[in-house]
């Protein structure tokens, strides 16, 4: 079996949509590269504006525990810099209490769609943590369609 990886982030100013994807069997260096791509996409957003985000980790598999630990804090901590509290962050009580929420360069995250292949995890997250502006999907196409169609309340 081949390890097809996708590691990329992009900003679409016409849709106010940031898309970030990490899939395949990844190690720590892949995760560092992914985080850098996410930061690069965020740097393209105009000051004092907003964005929606599609976090597509469908097919993601960390090759070891260290890679997974590095991975799991990136989205919650990054989005906290834009005023967004990821729904599942309270699962990690010790880490959650230390998160500071700001609005970097006056930018706000107003909606998030998450895609992952683990059906039981995603069903739980959708049942317990979804809200009007945040949903969890096992189908990346459905996630993207939802986030593209979502009109944020500003």
């Amino acid at each position: 079996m081949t390890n097809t990886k996708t590691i990329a982030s992009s900003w679409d100013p016409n849709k106010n949509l940031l898309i970030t994807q990490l899939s395949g069997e990844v190690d720590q260096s892949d995760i560092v590269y992914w985080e850098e791509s996410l930061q690069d996409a965020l740097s393209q957003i105009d000051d004092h504006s907003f964005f929606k985000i599609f976090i597509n980790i469908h097919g993601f598999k960390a090759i070891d525990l260290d890679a997974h630990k590095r991975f799991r804090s990136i989205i919650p901590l990054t989005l906290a810099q834009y005023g967004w509290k990821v729904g599942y962050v309270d699962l990690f009580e010790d880490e959650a209490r230390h998160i500071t929420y700001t609005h970097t360069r006056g930018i706000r995250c107003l909606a998030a769609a998450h895609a992952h292949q683990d059906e039981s995890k995603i069903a739980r997250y959708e049942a317990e943590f979804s809200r009007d502006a945040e949903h969890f999907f096992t189908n990346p196409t459905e996630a993207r369609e939802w986030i593209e169609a979502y009109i944020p309340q500003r």
Side-chain angles (χ1 to χ4, degrees), residues 24-45:
E25 293 182 4
V26 299
D27 60 23
Q28 284 196 62
S29 66
D30 295 323
I31 292 166
V32 168
Y33 180 78
W34 172 64
E35 184 176 18
E36 289 170 353
S37 79
L38 177 59
Q39 293 301 326
D40 181 58
L42 286 161
S43 75
Q44 297 172 43
I45 301 173

Side-chain angles (χ1 to χ4, degrees), residues 3-110:
N3 178 20
T4 303
K5 295 180 193 181
T6 302
I7 304 168
S9 300
S10 62
W11 168 240
D12 183 341
N14 297 317
K15 296 179 181 178
N16 288 42
L17 181 61
L18 192 155
I19 298 171
T20 189
Q21 183 173 358
L22 179 64
S23 63
E25 293 182 4
V26 299
D27 60 23
Q28 284 196 62
S29 66
D30 295 323
I31 292 166
V32 168
Y33 180 78
W34 172 64
E35 184 176 18
E36 289 170 353
S37 79
L38 177 59
Q39 293 301 326
D40 181 58
L42 286 161
S43 75
Q44 297 172 43
I45 301 173
D46 290 338
D47 292 358
H48 307 288
S49 63
F50 73 94
F51 67 96
K52 305 181 294 184
I53 187 167
F54 172 32
I55 303 135
N56 184 359
I57 56 170
H58 195 277
F60 162 77
K61 183 175 192 263
I63 64 165
D64 59 32
L65 185 58
D66 289 335
H68 189 269
K69 284 180 181 179
R70 171 111 171 103
F71 158 80
R72 80 174 198 180
S73 65
I74 291 171
I75 291 298
L77 293 178
T78 299
L79 292 184
Q81 296 172 22
Y82 299 91
W84 187 262
K85 182 177 181 182
V86 176
Y88 59 78
V89 78
D90 289 331
L91 286 173
F92 311 101
E93 291 178 32
D94 290 339
E95 293 97 336
R97 83 181 91 207
H98 299 289
I99 296 176
T100 301
Y101 295 88
T102 61
H103 292 102
T104 301
R105 299 181 7 246
I107 300 170
R108 295 178 304 140
C109 178
L110 297 181

Side-chain angles (χ1 to χ4, degrees), residues 53 55 75-76 79-80 82-90 101 109-114 122 124-137 146-147 150:
I53 187 167
I55 303 135
I75 291 298
L79 292 184
Y82 299 91
W84 187 262
K85 182 177 181 182
V86 176
Y88 59 78
V89 78
D90 289 331
Y101 295 88
C109 178
L110 297 181
H114 307 261
I122 292 304
R124 176 183 178 201
Y125 285 12
E126 181 63 18
E128 294 181 26
F129 307 117
S130 70
R131 50 193 158 143
D132 179 53
E134 183 173 36
H135 287 283
F136 301 86
F137 301 85
W146 177 81
I147 196 71
Y150 183 78

